[in-house]
Structure formats: structure tokens, C-alpha cells
Amino acid sequence: SSELTQDPAVSVALGQTVRITCQGDTLRSYYASWYQQKPGQAPVLVIYGDNNRPSGVPDRFSGSNSGYTASLTITGAQADDEADYYCNSRDTSGNYNYVFGTGTKVTVL
Amino acid sequence: EVQLVESGGGLVQPGGSLRLSCAASGFSVRTNYMSWVRQAPGRGLEWVSVIYSGGTSYSADSVKGRFTISRDISNNTLYLQMNSLRTDDTAFYYCARNLGDPRDYWGQGTLVTVSS
């Protein structure tokens, strides 16, 4: 099965920009989506189809996928953005399976 | 209003079985693809299983042959039948609609603890 690798933790100063990456072979073939999860809560989709924001997600969140590496960028990070972030994509071993990244803890200083 | 409410979690012994339910409202499980995703305490997300609108289903290798996803269209409910449970199946189990799609929506989860 496929793997998606993320850095375990990153920190960003309030108002600054942070980029979270997700690496895996499956990203050469399939779109990436990104989830934000706060403690005790269910994950919330913040990016789908590599670079699209669902309704209601602030425009400080943006995404990209260069093949093998997908990125989530938070431009002008807010205290409320402190959370765990997970990438998600299809699994190359089975077109109908999914795989999540290992997760990145974002701390806003 | 869209809602997903999971139930059926609890404490079960290794080797035992449990059936999780996910009651949907505000949309039809028949016309959407529905997934189960789990998260062990303090760990990351793990995709478990999906059932598509046509009824075809797929599962992760870690649960294949032990877990079965199904749906009851008349009750608008998603299920996960879990057999031969192991301690490493201990996790919060979330049901989700249209994973990775703009109509993506998750329930609040139910905790399954496998322990003797």
C-alpha cells in the first residue's frame, strides 16, 4: 500500500507563513486533500483537489501538488490555526482505497 | 441539516465482535460514497473502508477479512461489522461522507476499546 509522509511538527509566528508538505508516489497520479483536526474534534476538510477550498474555509489556506510532493500553505497564520494537519489521497495499490499522511502538528507562537 | 451520528462503540475483548452504526440525516447514503476512518488515541488517521453509491466496497489491508462495511438505505444508516477484534483495533471510529470531496462531512466518532 502507499505511504504519505509528513514532518511531525512545525511552528510559525503569529501572522507569518507556514508550509506543510506531504510526500508520496501516489501524489504523482492522484489529487491531494488536506484536513485540519483540533483536539477532541473530528477532522475538517480545508483543501480538496490539490488546491481548492471548501466553502467557509479562509483564503489564507492554499494548496499545491507538484507530483510526489503536495503542500498546504497558511499565509498569515492565526492562533486558531494551531492544530494537526493530515494530507489524504488515493492509494496506488488499489484505485478505490485511500491513504492518510502521517500528520503534522502546527504550533502558532 | 447534514448530520452523521456514530454509535455502537464500547469495550470488547480480543477476538470479539462489534457493530458500529452511523445514522445519516439531511442527505441519502445511497447517493453518496461513505467511509469509515479510525484514529488510535494520540495517533494519526487511518482509512478503514468505503462503500460507493453502487454498493461496491473496499477495505484497508489491515482489516480485510475481519471488517465489513454495509448500509441500510431504508434507515439511511452506515454500518461497520468488526469481527476478530485485536488490541490494535482500539481507536475512535469516524464515519465520513464523500471523503476528499467538497461535500466531505464527518461525524464526531465513537470509541472502540479492545482489551481483556
Side-chain angles (χ1 to χ4, degrees), chain A residues 40-87:
Chain A
Q41 297 183 18
V44 173
L45 184 72
V46 293
I47 292 289
Y48 69 93
D50 288 342
N51 55 13
N52 299 286
R53 280 188 313 276
S55 174
V57 173
D59 61 6
R60 63 178 179 271
F61 290 89
S62 61
S64 64
N65 183 359
S66 60
Y68 188 73
T69 301
S71 300
L72 173 70
T73 301
I74 308 174
T75 304
Q78 303 299 303
D80 190 51
D81 300 333
E82 186 163 293
D84 294 325
Y85 290 84
Y86 296 90
C87 58

Side-chain angles (χ1 to χ4, degrees), chain B residues 71-91:
Chain B
R71 64 189 182 183
D72 182 337
I73 293 170
S74 62
N75 286 323
N76 212 29
T77 300
L78 179 73
Y79 299 102
L80 186 68
Q81 178 66 44
M82 304 186 295
N83 299 329
S84 303
L85 282 161
R86 311 187 300 223
T87 55
D88 62 357
D89 293 319
T90 294

Side-chain angles (χ1 to χ4, degrees), chain B residues 16-20 66-67 80-85 93 112:
Chain B
S17 297
L18 212 56
R19 188 178 81 157
L20 305 183
R66 300 188 300 124
F67 291 11
L80 186 68
Q81 178 66 44
M82 304 186 295
N83 299 329
S84 303
L85 282 161
Y93 284 75
V112 172

Side-chain angles (χ1 to χ4, degrees), chain A residues 88-99:
Chain A
N88 173 254
S89 187
R90 297 284 191 168
D91 187 329
T92 52
S93 66
N95 288 348
Y96 301 102
N97 289 8
Y98 291 84
V99 59

Side-chain angles (χ1 to χ4, degrees), chain A residues 35 37 42 45 86 90 96 98, chain B residues 33 39 52 58 100-101 104 107:
Chain A
Y35 291 87
Q37 187 181 32
L45 184 72
Y86 296 90
R90 297 284 191 168
Y96 301 102
Y98 291 84
Chain B
Y33 59 99
Q39 186 172 37
Y52 287 93
Y58 301 88
D101 174 277
D104 184 298

Side-chain angles (χ1 to χ4, degrees), chain B residues 13-36:
Chain B
Q13 292 188 335
S17 297
L18 212 56
R19 188 178 81 157
L20 305 183
S21 300
C22 172
S25 57
F27 72 99
S28 171
V29 298
R30 182 180 62 83
T31 56
N32 292 270
Y33 59 99
M34 301 295 297
S35 298
W36 287 98

